[in-house]
Amino acid sequence: VSQSRYKGTEENIKRIGQQEPGVITLDGVIIDGNRRAMILKKHLNETWFEAAVIEEELADNRRYIRQLETQIQYGTDDKVDYEPINLYLKIKDFVDVDGLLIPEIAKLFNKTDAAIKSELEIMRLMDEYLDYIGSPGIYTLLKFSTKGGSREGSFVDLKSNLNQMSNSGRVGWAYSQSDIDDYKRLYFDYIRSECSDPKDFRKLAPAKTKSKGGIFMDETLFKNLVNEHDAAVTNITFELKSISELASLPENKNKSPVEIAQQREALWRDSVDTKKMYERLRKTGAEWDDILNDKKPADYLSDALKKLEKITETDLRNQEFLDDFEAQENVKKINTIIYDIKKIMLDRRKTH
């Protein structure tokens, strides 16, 4: 359950006591109300828990317990604010552990077969992501490390984008499965980076219509972004110690696998420089916007002038700026472009 929901329930029980009964089995297994029972016992030192009793003993029947929990927690219109990832995990367990079919699961959740199938595919994508980052089964990493909430939305978007790629007619170049794999890997790394609002990652998307879409619509832009990303990130990813290697270090002796995995992710984010990752995405997205807006050479000159005019005399006296190798290289490139433009314009005037 989300932390805000948990705190709200705790404050409410402290103020007016338990108002909503739980559901337990004859042998004491809590089917519904684990959160309320935990708050009463751990935080309020209560030894009682008001609940309706199912006249069955189910302690040894985890499959049936999971189905009852799901029907009570998710199978009504008045759904509780459970962590989104829990829903996906339940669906996965029903398929992989209990062997239920999609229609059977749909009835438990009061959803359509198509909705359950889609959510199972999203769960598979989440598992693939965790395998990719070397942390299989550590579902805590599907939450943001620096803010509340889960990364669910990014996987929902990615699944939609991958489905769209099955319709190559909406994209103006002949991409291969290798390109789709590059796209998925790039998207995984941006999810992992937390470098920006996940909505910004939609700039990578293929087209929903023939006239709109993201960076993947342009072969050159997409492949240049992949190449720049690989040059900056791939070696760092390969050289990152595994969870087991980190666990063997003396300083991590008393840390749990989850804590070590979180530490490993923080190390990766620091090493790849997430600010530069975001800047590459922003720059390529701006280039795609220029293509969509059919900008002319004069428009580019006007944009460049406006940006250059923002550099102040104070900036030009800043030693860090003056010593910046990338800035020096950019000045050389700008000088070359300006020289070529002036030469062409001068030659044209001489012929008229």
Side-chain angles (χ1 to χ4, degrees), residues 199-262:
K199 291 179 182 178
D200 289 337
F201 305 158
R202 295 173 185 172
K203 294 175 183 176
L204 293 167
K208 289 186 177 180
T209 68
K210 289 185 177 180
S211 61
K212 293 182 181 180
I215 293 165
F216 191 80
M217 293 293 289
D218 187 282
E219 179 179 9
T220 301
L221 284 182
F222 172 70
K223 291 189 173 181
N224 284 346
L225 178 59
V226 169
N227 291 336
E228 289 176 9
H229 177 81
D230 286 348
V233 173
T234 300
N235 285 343
I236 292 171
T237 300
F238 283 144
E239 291 170 4
L240 192 66
K241 285 184 171 62
S242 68
I243 292 177
S244 58
E245 287 173 322
L246 290 171
S248 68
L249 299 177
E251 60 267 30
N252 293 329
K253 183 173 64 174
N254 297 320
K255 292 180 181 176
S256 69
V258 170
E259 290 172 321
I260 294 171
Q262 290 170 330

Side-chain angles (χ1 to χ4, degrees), residues 339 341-352:
Y339 174 81
I341 293 173
K342 287 172 65 177
K343 185 175 184 302
I344 292 170
M345 287 181 167
L346 183 61
D347 291 344
R348 178 176 173 75
R349 282 202 296 270
K350 286 179 179 178
T351 58
H352 284 76

Side-chain angles (χ1 to χ4, degrees), residues 62 106 124 161 172 308:
R62 292 303 307 167
R124 300 300 190 206
N161 295 344
L308 288 171

Side-chain angles (χ1 to χ4, degrees), residues 166-179:
S166 63
N167 185 356
S168 58
R170 291 178 175 174
V171 177
W173 59 285
Y175 56 87
S176 65
Q177 182 59 48
S178 176
D179 295 313

Side-chain angles (χ1 to χ4, degrees), residues 1 16 24 36 43 65 78 97 113 121 146 151 162 187 192 258 263 282 299 306 318 324 330 335:
V1 177
I16 60 175
I24 65 173
R36 281 160 278 164
H43 300 289
I65 288 172
D78 184 22
V97 179
D113 292 3
E121 289 172 359
T146 55
R151 309 184 201 207
L162 293 173
Y187 210 106
R192 188 179 191 182
V258 170
Q263 171 188 315
R282 188 207 61 77
D299 297 322
K306 289 176 184 176
N318 184 300
D324 188 315
N330 285 337
N335 274 334

